[in-house]
Amino acid sequence: MDILVSGAGMAGLSAAVNLGTRGHRVTIVERSTHFRVNGSPIDIRGDALGIAERMGLLERIRDRRVDMTEQSQFIDGDGNVVVRVPVEEAGDSADDLEIAREDLARILADALPADARVLFQDSVDAIADDGDGVGVGVGVGVRFVSGRAERYDLVIGADGLHSAVRRLVFGPERDFNHHLGYYAAIADMPGEEPRADRVNPIYNYPGHLAGIVRYNDTTLAIFMFRSDPIDYDHHDLDAQKDILAEAFAGHTEWRIPDLLAAARADPELYFDSASQIRMPSWHRGRVVLVGDAAHAASGLSGRGTSLAFTGTHILAEELDRSGGDHLAAFERYEERQRPYVDFAQHSVHGGADLIVPATWEAIRARNERVLASAGSRPAGA
Ligand SMILES: Cc1cc2nc3c(=O)[nH]c(=O)nc-3n(C[C@H](O)[C@H](O)[C@H](O)COP(=O)(O)OP(=O)(O)OC[C@H]3O[C@@H](n4cnc5c(N)ncnc54)[C@H](O)[C@@H]3O)c2cc1C
């Protein structure tokens, strides 16, 4: 089949690899000028590890795994350590591999079949689905923002939380987006010396978090802040930088000004709401959604990429099994993927209270809880 995949994130690349290696002709359209590879390291967990193995990628992923034995420390406004987070709560395990986004994107891109087409700097603008039948002329007509017009047997929306395919085929984002009450940003901090003590400091004041994460030779500034939904253009990076600066305005404690300067300077800043996409169905006609476009669980779940892996693998497998009956395949895909999604989406409950407590009292209570837990030591102990 001729299949269009909208979005070249982890879900889009994984869909293209799974479908392309099964003999489908795949075109990927990516809005950006390049594969977007920034952001903090990502986890591959549970059944997604088995899928990476079946895709023939597990060894390469293991070779590039990030050593996450760094210890997180909650610090005060002067940078003094208040609580050390036990390493076993922060590290990975046999059931969980952590890898840099850029490495996983490269591994997936290298695994694309030679005839896969990648169209950068373009996006779907209109989708006309001719229905579920078979035969000459039946398929999906797609017009791109560039003016290009093409026909496909199937269209896969893998274009993330703010999916264009979802908007065009299923309706406006507000019908499906459940805001979890805060925003997150991640910026590169080039020029930071890697620290030998392998410690990641995290500073909280009510409703806010600013911190530093280090892995390999990379240093990242991370931010979270509680907020009601903010109306802004998701493709306007300067607007996102302004929102972030305003959220932390007037705060010069610890290294907040340095971190904000790094965010301002980063041409690839990651900024988004913590949101979940909840939909009663992920397919309509010949169009199907995968990854965050279908079922974002939010960064707090740590399972976005694992969900992208399981979903795209199941989808490709079911298309094979159904012998081209895409409706039967889409239904089986939903049935098999749904339990993974439900688990991941439910797993985030209470996470924000731990990471971004709303009051000083809640920050102190959180610190005491962590202090009381096994392996934690007060500063200097
Ligand atoms: C740059 C970036 C950094 C991230 N960093 C983190 C992080 O640090 N922590 C975390 O928890 N999660 C992060 N995420 C989200 C995380 O990658 C996903 O939850 C998970 O990997 C599932 O990926 P996805 O492919 O479904 O969605 P995404 O990773 O969001 O990928 C969607 C892709 O589609 C492209 N796209 C969007 N709209 C269109 C369009 N209209 N037409 C064509 N292409 C389009 C985007 O440029 C992107 O490449 C990040 C996402 C991105 C894009």
Side-chain angles (χ1 to χ4, degrees):
M1 286 198 262
D2 271 316
I3 302 179
L4 176 69
V5 178
S6 172
M10 300 308 155
L13 288 171
S14 170
V17 171
N18 275 295
L19 292 162
T21 50
R22 285 175 161 83
H24 299 290
R25 284 177 304 280
V26 181
T27 299
I28 307 176
V29 58
E30 165 60 47
R31 201 175 183 285
S32 181
T33 52
H34 53 277
F35 293 125
R36 300 198 60 201
V37 296
N38 55 313
S40 59
I42 46 190
D43 295 271
I44 306 176
R45 296 179 168 193
D47 287 359
L49 287 169
I51 284 166
E53 188 166 24
R54 269 176 270 157
M55 289 166 74
L57 306 179
L58 189 59
E59 274 321 298
R60 291 196 63 199
I61 292 173
R62 267 197 213 291
D63 286 349
R64 302 296 306 166
R65 75 188 292 180
V66 174
D67 175 7
M68 292 304 280
T69 51
E70 284 87 351
Q71 190 176 49
S72 295
Q73 295 180 337
F74 294 120
I75 57 170
D76 66 17
D78 297 320
N80 300 314
V81 180
V82 180
V83 189
R84 297 196 172 106
V85 181
V87 170
E88 55 272 26
E89 282 184 18
D92 63 8
S93 68
D95 193 36
D96 178 3
L97 280 181
E98 206 141 7
I99 180 166
R101 285 179 58 86
E102 60 263 36
D103 288 336
L104 187 55
R106 196 165 303 120
I107 289 170
L108 287 167
D110 286 350
L112 287 172
D115 65 349
R117 273 200 312 162
V118 186
L119 313 172
F120 285 111
Q121 267 189 298
D122 208 351
S123 172
V124 292
D125 196 29
I127 295 178
D129 187 343
D130 293 341
D132 292 327
V134 285
V136 179
V138 173
V140 195
V142 177
R143 200 183 63 236
F144 294 84
V145 170
S146 61
R148 187 198 305 261
E150 294 183 351
R151 291 192 73 75
Y152 294 93
D153 297 307
L154 301 177
V155 171
I156 299 183
D159 39 9
L161 189 58
H162 311 293
S163 167
V165 172
R166 190 185 56 229
R167 175 174 43 79
L168 291 169
V169 177
F170 298 82
E173 182 172 321
R174 64 173 177 274
D175 292 354
F176 310 110
N177 186 321
H178 295 255
H179 180 59
L180 298 184
Y182 63 97
Y183 284 77
I186 298 172
D188 198 16
M189 291 185 82
E192 281 282 309
E193 288 296 315
R195 292 233 330 224
D197 58 6
R198 308 181 66 91
V199 157
N200 292 328
I202 297 169
Y203 170 62
N204 283 109
Y205 66 89
H208 293 72
L209 173 153
I212 291 179
V213 169
R214 299 182 175 87
Y215 67 95
N216 300 345
D217 297 327
T218 301
T219 305
L220 300 174
I222 56 170
F223 307 86
M224 290 185 182
F225 61 94
R226 291 182 180 242
S227 166
D228 287 337
I230 303 169
D231 191 17
Y232 66 96
D233 176 354
H234 299 119
H235 305 303
D236 183 343
L237 196 57
D238 286 335
Q240 296 171 27
K241 290 177 178 179
D242 289 346
I243 292 168
L244 183 66
E246 199 173 308
F248 286 83
H251 283 267
T252 54
E253 307 92 286
W254 180 52
R255 297 189 58 194
I256 288 178
D258 290 348
L259 270 59
L260 287 174
R264 181 63 75 183
D266 188 345
E268 299 268 342
L269 175 77
Y270 169 72
F271 177 91
D272 219 325
S273 62
S275 291
Q276 293 192 339
I277 296 294
R278 300 183 203 149
M279 301 181 73
S281 173
W282 301 320
H283 69 91
R284 185 165 291 174
R286 291 172 170 270
V287 179
V288 63
L289 302 176
V290 296
D292 279 9
H295 47 57
S298 91
L300 261 194
S301 78
R303 289 180 185 269
T305 301
S306 300
L307 290 178
F309 268 44
T310 51
T312 53
H313 186 78
I314 290 170
L315 178 62
E317 210 169 62
E318 292 299 335
L319 278 169
D320 255 5
R321 279 198 191 136
S322 71
D325 179 350
H326 61 276
L327 262 188
F330 290 172
E331 273 161 22
R332 283 286 298 149
Y333 151 65
E334 288 207 11
E335 211 177 294
R336 290 176 59 195
Q337 173 73 348
R338 202 52 91 166
Y340 293 111
V341 172
D342 288 346
F343 179 79
Q345 291 196 334
H346 283 115
S347 73
V348 306
H349 293 312
D353 293 337
L354 182 73
I355 299 174
V356 209
T359 61
W360 280 118
E361 197 184 356
I363 291 171
R364 276 191 292 274
R366 185 273 318 271
N367 290 349
E368 277 162 25
R369 273 202 311 279
V370 176
L371 202 56
S373 70
S376 187
R377 297 278 181 280

